[in-house]
Amino acid sequence: MNYGHQTNSPWTGMVPVEDTALAVTDTGGTGTPVIYLNGSYADQKHWRRVIADLGPGWRHITYDERARGRSRRSADYSFEACVRDVSAVLAARGVVRPVLVGWSYGAVVGVHWASRNPDRALGVVPADGAYPYDLFDGGRMTRDEVRRLFRRMRWAFPVARRLGLAARMSADQHAEVNIELNEVVAEIKAVLDDLTVPVRWVVASGGNLGGDAEEMAEQRANLGPVLARNPNIKVSATVSSNHSKLLSKDFRAIANAVREVAAVGRGSR
């Protein structure tokens, strides 16, 4: 199995990409590589419990997206830039076929990247994200309402940044990232249908700050038809924690989904 260049040495540093640089941590080793993709405004530290559960037999690669964590600002915070960054980090670290694990926004990035690069991905673990859902359909919310919401929340950004839950962006930039994400997931069915690598979802329960219980249940229910159409996609676990608490409370379910994907991916090659 070719996973690219193997290094036994842990590495932490900055990877230059376009007009920015990304803060990357690579544990090294000869195990199966796993690249972790963060939530919209989150940083890499949220994965520590998943990484600890999987242990040192894997090669763990985490990084902060543009303007998140320790990464530098950019002129481009688009979804496409985030997809390109996956390739840039993997190339910089010499990794060819990782398992991609993504939470929330990162789940969307992960399935898009794997759909476009099926021969370069061992599989994907979406953690409560990438559900087909159109927030702007049927009057649920408008784009201007999203912008007003983030402007009202801007007082909380300094505190949220210290918690790894906000970017070094303006309120309007935060809003545009959110708006574009909703536009991407509204069109994601075709991407999910095209996936040829093993995908194992971890589905959370209940509501959270970004969506009440009813809205989140509707999003998660939209996964059903996808499962029926694409046999490569399965639910590994449905857990009791909500979207916000998933990585801290049900990290074992995510780690088990990584093990499952890696086993299936290795067996299919």
Side-chain angles (χ1 to χ4, degrees), residues 72-86:
R72 296 174 189 162
R73 290 185 173 92
S74 172
D76 186 357
Y77 298 126
S78 67
F79 179 79
E80 287 300 320
C82 290
V83 175
R84 293 196 302 272
D85 288 344
V86 177

Side-chain angles (χ1 to χ4, degrees), residues 89-192:
V89 171
L90 294 176
R93 301 309 303 148
V95 174
V96 177
R97 293 191 60 236
V99 176
L100 298 100
V101 187
W103 169 52
S104 192
Y105 186 95
V108 185
V109 173
V111 297
H112 264 267
W113 193 91
S115 175
R116 302 175 196 188
N117 302 277
D119 294 332
R120 298 170 61 193
L122 195 60
V124 188
V125 176
D128 208 42
Y131 304 116
Y133 186 72
D134 190 346
L135 177 68
F136 302 126
D137 181 52
R140 295 184 183 93
M141 183 171 280
T142 68
R143 290 164 179 81
D144 283 342
E145 285 173 333
V146 172
R147 294 181 181 105
R148 287 195 293 271
L149 175 63
F150 276 91
R151 287 168 189 159
R152 288 197 298 270
M153 294 192 305
R154 64 183 180 272
W155 62 270
F157 290 169
V159 174
R161 277 195 292 271
R162 289 196 290 273
L163 298 174
L165 294 172
R168 292 191 308 283
M169 300 177 186
S170 68
D172 285 345
Q173 287 171 323
H174 277 84
E176 294 308 317
V177 167
N178 183 273
I179 289 167
E180 186 185 30
L181 172 63
N182 281 288
E183 292 170 344
V184 170
V185 295
E187 304 293 335
I188 205 169
K189 288 180 183 178
V191 175
L192 300 177

Side-chain angles (χ1 to χ4, degrees), residues 27-43:
T27 63
T30 59
T32 301
V34 183
I35 186 165
Y36 299 86
L37 309 174
N38 308 325
S40 296
Y41 318 108
D43 63 24

Side-chain angles (χ1 to χ4, degrees), residues 6 25 64-65 70 93 192 200 202 252 261:
Q6 300 291 331
T25 300
D64 297 327
E65 262 297 351
R70 293 180 293 108
R93 301 309 303 148
L192 300 177
R200 297 296 182 268
V202 177
R252 290 187 180 89
V261 160

Side-chain angles (χ1 to χ4, degrees), residues 8 11 82 87 93 128 138 145 153 170-171 201 233 240 266:
N8 290 316
W11 183 87
C82 290
S87 295
R93 301 309 303 148
D128 208 42
E145 285 173 333
M153 294 192 305
S170 68
W201 239 276
I233 301 176
S240 60
R266 293 188 203 107

Side-chain angles (χ1 to χ4, degrees), residues 250-265:
D250 279 300
F251 55 89
R252 290 187 180 89
I254 298 171
N256 286 337
V258 172
R259 296 183 181 101
E260 185 179 349
V261 160
V264 174

